[in-house]
Amino acid sequence: MSEPMPGVESTAGDSDSDGDSDGPRSGEAYDPAAPAPLHVPREPTGDAGVDARLQRLADADHLTTDGHLEVYEDVHRGLRDALTALDARPGPPAPPTPYPESRS
């Protein structure tokens, strides 16, 4: 019983029974620009807007590499806007400042 080494493909009798492989199928040439899902887990942040932007990153999994930039820029813009909105929210009023003593 030998375990396959990571990154090394076996060619002896392997078959992909479910047909859902992320790599090139036998007979297909490797194309580094072809879509290759990374399957990066995304943990919920608790903020629906931020979570939606992070989920948008999954769209890049189905695009060729030249399409990633648009997705990344969109996500970056949305996250930047969310951070900017945190600064724009009105907070509690500032405490009143005492009047300076008059020197008469």
Side-chain angles (χ1 to χ4, degrees):
M1 296 192 134
S2 65
E3 294 292 321
M5 294 182 60
V8 177
E9 294 183 26
S10 172
T11 57
D14 281 354
S15 66
D16 190 5
S17 60
D18 64 0
D20 188 24
S21 172
D22 293 333
R25 288 169 180 67
S26 60
E28 291 182 14
Y30 173 70
D31 180 6
L38 297 176
H39 304 292
V40 175
R42 291 169 191 87
E43 296 292 326
T45 64
D47 182 297
V50 170
D51 290 341
R53 290 294 174 186
L54 294 177
Q55 187 59 38
R56 169 105 165 85
L57 289 172
D59 293 346
D61 285 349
H62 308 289
L63 300 172
T64 57
T65 54
D66 60 350
H68 290 187
L69 183 61
E70 181 181 340
V71 172
Y72 296 155
E73 285 180 342
D74 181 47
V75 171
H76 180 258
R77 185 174 29 259
L79 293 175
R80 186 183 59 227
D81 291 348
L83 286 173
T84 301
L86 291 175
D87 290 336
R89 290 185 185 162
T97 56
Y99 292 105
E101 292 181 27
S102 63
R103 297 183 185 179
S104 315

